[in-house]
Amino acid sequence: MSENRDQIVILDFGSQLTQLIARRLREMGVFSVLLPYSADLDVIKSYNPKGIILSGGPSSVLESDSPTRDVKELLSIAPLLGICYGMQLICHQLGGKVSKADLREYGQNTITWNEELLAGVKEQSVWMSHGDYIEDIPADFKLLARSESKHIAVVSSDNILCFQFHPEVNHTERGEDLLKHFCFNMCKATPNWTADGIVADLKNKIKLQVPDGAQVLCALSGGVDSTVVGHLLTSVLGKDRVKCVFVNNGLLRKNEFEQVQELYKELDLNVMAVDATKEFLSELSGVSDPETKRKIIGKVFIDVFKNSIKELGEIHFLAQGTLYPDVIESVSPRGESVTIKSHHNVGGLPKDLNLKLVEPLRELFKDEVRKIGEHLGIPRKFLWRHPFPGPGLAIRLIGEINEADLDTLRESDHIYINELKNNNLYDDIWQAFCVLLPVRTVGVQGDARSYEKVLAIRAVTSKDGMTADWFDFDGKFMRKLSNRITNEVKGVNRVVYDVTSKPPGTIEWE
């Protein structure tokens, strides 16, 4: 982001928790950037980092093909924090000894401090996940804490701090305080990553990226992210230069096309609404693979934008509401790891579109987007709508797309969301939705045998969508919801609830 902001670089060695480190630092007011462990040294230096964090990872430093890089050259740039694998790499390279553990340490553990890092704390509950351990620490290092198994848990040296546990997870007591010690005491970072600072940064970037007179087409989905982008661009460039396009792809929720247009009027955006239902559903006909669905939807969106440009006149930029989690899931920062899922708005634009891409929110998480939306004056009822995926109901209808099943899914979702609102549960949940399964089961409806589809409902709590836990509904609510859906929605005779956290699952099913 801005060169005027203190920044911490996080090098990702493959841990599922690396993104949590970034989130924790940003919550503390320190901007963090996530880079692959193999990032070029000049790239790391370009951020002028106040500190560098080496993340955990699934590998062992004892393996010949484990991910590695020169710790000393990193130390020449800024103070280092090693977490789990990062600790082992630092100790291994600086003269310590790493060995395979006979007793692995996974889950909750208690460490005992030899020398207090946190005032008044002698014992601390932490969360561990490692099979190797530090047998001997490097010369000039200080041993600060051991685990229940007497394994070395915390060490330090000049400008180096290492944890054999994960301070970034909620299961570690006072983990945030440990991260604050590194950021503020060791790195001397200033907590200047605030909503007003973020907005000022974004507006400045927009002015630098979009030259005077350039026209922008802003793709609106009806969701929080694209809405904030449209409002932000309009506040900087004006309505005449920011022409928003809201597309009905036939995969929206019940009445959403009309309702969202009313909301955009409240925000005074320059919006052209396009109903492209036939085009999308025609291209998706007979397609069941989720990755293929996403790619088709991305392609048709581009086709619709091409046609819109013909009506709008000359356009130079396409604006999208891409977020950091979209980028992380689509293009892994580690390079060698697998893509979790592609996102139709990640990966650049076709050359024949002849537009440049502007994505102001590309380095932000969802909660940060909501904060800047509040700062911009966007109504809360819009900002706190549950996230809705760009591919819409296409990835909530498992299997082939057809209008009858889409209608079934819409009606079920409409009942579900209304029940959440009627019971004052909507704001307690990060995201709630229905998934229609390509599975039929036998039921009894109206004293007759039925053979209809199964509907899964999902509700999760989260801060940023990177991790999530399922919402623990009251049984009375679940009973009423199931009865309403099976009684009122034709085509559904069974309702099930998804109790999978993220990880191991993702929030959406596809």
Side-chain angles (χ1 to χ4, degrees):
M1 301 297 285
S2 169
E3 294 180 359
N4 297 321
R5 305 206 169 275
D6 287 353
Q7 305 178 101
I8 301 288
V9 165
I10 303 166
L11 297 182
D12 185 1
F13 286 86
S15 171
Q16 292 183 344
L17 303 170
T18 306
Q19 293 82 16
L20 278 180
I21 306 171
R23 285 299 310 118
R24 296 296 175 257
L25 267 57
R26 293 193 187 190
E27 288 169 359
M28 290 155 35
V30 180
F31 180 73
S32 55
V33 60
L34 185 62
L35 299 177
Y37 74 90
S38 56
D40 188 86
L41 192 65
D42 287 337
V43 172
I44 297 173
K45 288 180 178 179
S46 70
Y47 287 93
N48 191 26
K50 302 291 285 187
I52 300 172
I53 298 177
L54 283 64
S55 83
S59 302
S60 167
V61 296
L62 303 175
E63 298 168 353
S64 60
D65 60 347
S66 61
T68 188
R69 69 172 305 140
D70 190 334
V71 169
K72 288 183 179 179
E73 68 178 11
L74 296 176
L75 191 57
S76 69
I77 301 173
L80 302 183
L81 170 61
I83 297 175
C84 198
Y85 179 87
M87 172 182 183
Q88 294 164 8
L89 182 65
I90 290 171
C91 290
H92 179 66
Q93 285 197 15
L94 298 184
K97 183 179 180 181
V98 178
S99 301
K100 288 286 184 185
D102 293 329
L103 179 62
R104 297 182 177 186
E105 294 179 311
Y106 293 131
Q108 217 67 34
N109 203 303
T110 299
I111 64 170
T112 301
W113 292 90
N114 303 333
E115 183 174 322
E116 291 185 39
L117 191 64
L118 301 175
V121 177
K122 289 293 186 182
E123 290 190 346
Q124 184 179 357
S125 180
V126 301
W127 194 81
M128 291 184 165
S129 180
H130 63 98
D132 292 350
Y133 75 106
I134 309 299
E135 186 171 345
D136 294 311
I137 64 176
D140 300 325
F141 270 56
K142 184 184 296 184
L143 172 59
L144 299 183
R146 288 185 181 272
S147 69
E148 294 174 12
S149 306
K150 305 304 179 184
H151 287 171
I152 295 168
V154 184
V155 297
S156 70
S157 182
D158 292 340
N159 285 334
I160 298 177
L161 180 63
C162 295
F163 300 130
Q164 190 57 83
F165 54 88
H166 291 272
E168 69 271 24
V169 303
N170 290 328
H171 300 296
T172 293
E173 291 178 354
R174 299 192 64 177
E176 181 178 328
D177 290 334
L178 294 172
L179 292 173
K180 284 181 176 179
H181 174 79
F182 174 71
C183 291
F184 303 136
N185 295 345
M186 294 180 62
C187 301
K188 309 300 182 186
T190 301
N192 49 18
W193 183 245
T194 58
D196 56 343
I198 296 172
V199 170
D201 256 357
L202 295 177
K203 287 185 175 181
N204 184 54
K205 278 196 163 188
I206 290 168
K207 291 176 182 177
L208 291 174
Q209 184 178 1
V210 183
D212 290 343
Q215 301 289 308
V216 180
L217 185 154
C218 182
L220 297 178
S221 68
V224 174
D225 312 323
S226 63
T227 300
V228 170
V229 168
H231 192 282
L232 183 64
L233 286 167
T234 301
S235 69
V236 175
L237 306 176
K239 287 176 63 175
D240 292 340
R241 295 177 59 195
V242 181
K243 299 167 182 177
C244 303
V245 176
F246 176 43
V247 179
N248 182 4
N249 57 8
L251 304 167
L252 301 176
R253 290 166 290 198
K254 186 176 181 179
N255 301 324
E256 188 162 24
F257 190 50
E258 296 76 20
Q259 291 172 355
V260 170
Q261 288 183 67
E262 291 302 314
L263 289 171
Y264 286 147
K265 287 180 182 178
E266 288 184 35
L267 296 176
D268 196 28
L269 299 182
N270 181 5
V271 180
M272 179 174 76
V274 178
D275 189 348
T277 299
K278 290 183 180 179
E279 290 88 336
F280 279 91
L281 297 188
S282 174
E283 289 293 323
L284 288 167
S285 178
V287 177
S288 58
D289 177 73
E291 281 298 294
T292 305
K293 288 179 184 177
R294 291 173 182 274
K295 288 178 170 59
I296 288 173
I297 290 167
K299 175 185 175 299
V300 179
F301 266 122
I302 293 298
D303 291 340
V304 172
F305 294 145
K306 286 181 180 177
N307 292 330
S308 300
I309 290 171
K310 294 176 183 177
E311 295 185 40
L312 294 172
E314 189 174 11
I315 298 291
H316 307 94
F317 287 84
L318 174 65
Q320 296 184 152
T322 307
L323 299 191
Y324 205 18
D326 299 337
V327 177
I328 292 169
E329 289 190 340
S330 291
V331 185
S332 170
R334 293 184 291 278
E336 79 279 2
S337 67
V338 297
T339 295
I340 298 171
K341 64 174 74 167
S342 66
H343 290 259
H344 75 280
N345 60 337
V346 177
L349 296 172
K351 290 182 179 180
D352 64 347
L353 195 57
N354 199 30
L355 296 178
K356 295 179 180 178
L357 198 57
V358 55
E359 298 174 311
L361 311 181
R362 190 179 175 90
E363 293 181 297
L364 302 183
F365 291 89
K366 178 75 74 173
D367 59 324
E368 293 173 317
V369 173
R370 285 181 166 137
K371 286 178 182 176
I372 67 173
E374 289 177 350
H375 188 83
L376 291 168
I378 297 176
R380 181 178 175 82
K381 65 180 180 180
F382 207 118
L383 285 177
W384 289 93
R385 297 178 76 213
H386 287 184
F388 188 63
L393 298 182
I395 58 171
R396 295 178 179 176
L397 176 56
I398 311 299
E400 294 186 6
I401 305 296
N402 63 76
E403 291 195 53
D405 283 344
L406 284 171
D407 288 340
T408 298
L409 186 54
R410 282 194 190 94
E411 290 301 323
S412 301
D413 184 82
H414 184 67
I415 291 172
Y416 184 23
I417 299 303
N418 280 344
E419 282 297 320
L420 291 177
K421 292 179 177 178
N422 292 340
N423 287 273
N424 296 317
L425 293 172
Y426 186 83
D427 290 338
D428 295 334
I429 294 169
W430 165 269
Q431 190 170 359
F433 57 91
C434 299
V435 180
L436 190 62
L437 308 183
V439 176
R440 293 182 183 275
T441 64
V442 174
V444 178
Q445 292 175 297
D447 293 327
R449 177 186 185 274
S450 67
Y451 191 57
E452 303 292 357
K453 289 197 170 183
V454 177
L455 184 84
I457 60 173
R458 182 105 162 110
V460 298
T461 57
S462 180
K463 283 189 174 182
D464 49 40
M466 296 305 301
T467 60
D469 198 8
W470 56 277
F471 187 81
D472 192 6
F473 282 115
D474 176 79
K476 184 179 180 181
F477 172 85
M478 297 292 278
R479 186 174 292 107
K480 181 180 180 182
L481 177 64
S482 176
N483 286 342
R484 279 203 63 189
I485 291 174
T486 53
N487 288 338
E488 298 177 31
V489 181
K490 185 178 179 180
V492 175
N493 70 356
R494 193 177 300 272
V495 176
V496 298
Y497 185 44
D498 180 356
V499 291
T500 310
S501 298
K502 176 185 179 180
T506 55
I507 295 177
E508 297 285 350
W509 277 38
E510 290 192 339

